[in-house]
Amino acid sequence: MAIGDVEPVPNSTDVYYVDTGMYEVEKYGSVFLIDAEKPALIDTGIAADREHVFGMLDEVGVDDLEYILPTHVHLDHAGGAGYLAERYPDATVMTHEIGAPHLVDPTRLVEGTKAAVEDQWRFYDEPLPIDEDRVEPLTDGDEIDLGDRTLTVSHAPGHAPHQVMFHDDGDDVLFVGDAMGIWEPKTETLRQTSPPAQFHLQKALDDVQTVEEIEPETLCFGHFGPHEYTKAFAEEYKRVLVEWVEAIRQKRDELGDDEAVIQHFVEHTQMDEVWGVRKAHDEERLNTRGVLGYLDYVGDDE
């Protein structure tokens, strides 16, 4: 699968995904389309990659999009929402109630994203604000009627307090956003995603427990694509999270300097040949900073 390619989600009915080419890396960013009676788009990708999302909608033959559903408002998942709302003027945009105001006025969201992603901002376009009357807030337990299926909303605040997952009861597909981390298909590994400034380990582990309780047939990752759900797969992500946080805790105790800790994990990344040096280093820097901030927040409580 190459950047811009569209494929169906295995064992599903009319569910598709596109490689958005996020950060100019193959198999890193995906956006999903449910071509239901009332078509819905799950996540939007970075605004700069919107043409690939438009291309998927055109290829599948969706003329009227009913819903635009970011799993959370981080701009790699919601940055294109305003452009999609502009292209599909009858679509309703729905996201968690904490994040919804940031789609109406993305000023603070842009500021926070620039601080979090640093040099990666060069891959972004500024998001477009969305009219308030087109944005509807979601909360845990809400249901979205797509006509021939229903999406059930589950709050998943470990990665970000404004994150939700969508469970498609028709195909038993769970769109997890970043709640199950990053599935890297080339190396077939699960990797942590722990960005600043609101990553929280225990809440992230609780989110995996929510996935286990839903026990879907298929998981759909924002990074990247679909993967069969198993209990062992969920347990693996719990292990990844705990070991990642503990490794940073120990390295901070050893080095006593956060910049040195960040540099250590950047230099020891194993993803250079998969994502390229630039993205691999950016990813390690981002996720290490997120855990350091979390450790500051919990202090001696952890």
Side-chain angles (χ1 to χ4, degrees), residues 228-274:
E228 178 187 7
Y229 169 81
T230 65
K231 173 74 170 176
F233 196 61
E235 291 296 327
E236 171 68 7
Y237 189 52
K238 290 180 184 177
R239 183 191 65 78
V240 167
L241 281 171
V242 171
E243 291 184 357
W244 171 240
V245 171
E246 185 57 28
I248 293 174
R249 188 199 311 273
Q250 291 181 11
K251 190 57 63 174
R252 176 187 253 186
D253 289 344
E254 174 190 337
L255 298 178
D257 178 81
D258 283 359
E259 287 304 316
V261 173
I262 292 168
Q263 190 59 31
H264 168 83
F265 287 99
V266 167
E267 291 176 353
H268 289 82
T269 182
Q270 298 178 348
M271 301 302 291
D272 286 356
E273 294 184 6
V274 180

Side-chain angles (χ1 to χ4, degrees), residues 94-116:
M94 306 176 79
T95 198
H96 191 267
E97 59 188 1
I98 296 173
H102 296 290
L103 298 182
V104 177
D105 179 4
T107 303
R108 290 178 57 196
L109 184 60
V110 169
E111 292 173 355
T113 303
K114 287 180 177 179

Side-chain angles (χ1 to χ4, degrees), residues 22-23 27-30 76-77 159 176-195 221-225 227 233 236-237 240-241 271 274-275 279 283-284 286-287:
M22 192 176 294
Y23 307 120
K27 297 183 179 179
Y28 183 82
S30 44
D76 57 332
H77 291 258
H159 174 81
V176 294
D178 287 339
M180 279 287 294
I182 294 173
W183 168 245
E184 204 300 295
K186 297 176 187 176
T187 57
E188 296 189 341
T189 55
L190 265 174
R191 294 186 56 80
Q192 67 281 340
T193 175
S194 55
F221 288 79
H223 316 283
F224 171 86
H227 191 282
F233 196 61
E236 171 68 7
Y237 189 52
V240 167
L241 281 171
M271 301 302 291
V274 180
W275 292 334
K279 176 55 185 168
E283 190 79 17
E284 297 293 350
L286 179 77
N287 288 321

Side-chain angles (χ1 to χ4, degrees), residues 197-212:
Q198 295 168 313
F199 166 75
H200 191 286
L201 175 60
Q202 187 55 56
K203 292 179 181 179
L205 294 172
D206 290 344
D207 294 344
V208 182
Q209 178 64 39
T210 300
V211 174
E212 291 176 312

Side-chain angles (χ1 to χ4, degrees), residues 13-49:
T13 305
D14 298 325
V15 184
Y16 304 89
Y17 69 109
V18 62
D19 184 337
T20 66
M22 192 176 294
Y23 307 120
E24 299 179 358
V25 175
E26 285 188 0
K27 297 183 179 179
Y28 183 82
S30 44
V31 168
F32 295 88
L33 170 65
I34 307 173
D35 188 20
E37 289 180 12
K38 300 177 181 180
L41 194 72
I42 311 294
D43 285 336
T44 71
I46 290 172
D49 300 329

Side-chain angles (χ1 to χ4, degrees), residues 9-182:
V9 171
N11 303 314
S12 71
T13 305
D14 298 325
V15 184
Y16 304 89
Y17 69 109
V18 62
D19 184 337
T20 66
M22 192 176 294
Y23 307 120
E24 299 179 358
V25 175
E26 285 188 0
K27 297 183 179 179
Y28 183 82
S30 44
V31 168
F32 295 88
L33 170 65
I34 307 173
D35 188 20
E37 289 180 12
K38 300 177 181 180
L41 194 72
I42 311 294
D43 285 336
T44 71
I46 290 172
D49 300 329
R50 59 190 178 274
E51 291 300 331
H52 294 307
V53 181
F54 294 166
M56 173 173 64
L57 289 155
D58 292 342
E59 183 175 329
V60 175
V62 173
D63 297 321
D64 296 308
L65 194 59
E66 188 81 17
Y67 296 110
I68 300 166
L69 304 174
T71 56
H72 55 301
V73 298
H74 287 165
L75 292 181
D76 57 332
H77 291 258
Y83 295 91
L84 280 149
E86 183 178 67
R87 193 178 199 237
Y88 298 94
D90 294 327
T92 300
V93 184
M94 306 176 79
T95 198
H96 191 267
E97 59 188 1
I98 296 173
H102 296 290
L103 298 182
V104 177
D105 179 4
T107 303
R108 290 178 57 196
L109 184 60
V110 169
E111 292 173 355
T113 303
K114 287 180 177 179
V117 304
E118 298 178 315
D119 289 344
Q120 290 186 91
W121 180 254
R122 64 190 180 277
F123 296 106
Y124 290 70
D125 281 354
E126 293 276 346
L128 293 181
I130 304 171
D131 289 343
E132 187 174 8
D133 60 2
R134 296 188 60 191
V135 178
E136 294 188 11
L138 295 171
T139 191
D140 189 71
D142 283 351
E143 295 184 346
I144 303 168
D145 178 17
L146 302 188
D148 57 350
R149 67 191 79 190
T150 299
L151 297 180
T152 302
V153 176
S154 293
H155 193 202
H159 174 81
H162 44 79
Q163 181 174 248
V164 297
M165 301 182 289
F166 299 103
H167 183 222
D168 174 353
D169 69 349
D171 286 315
D172 199 15
V173 172
L174 183 63
F175 301 91
V176 294
D178 287 339
M180 279 287 294
I182 294 173

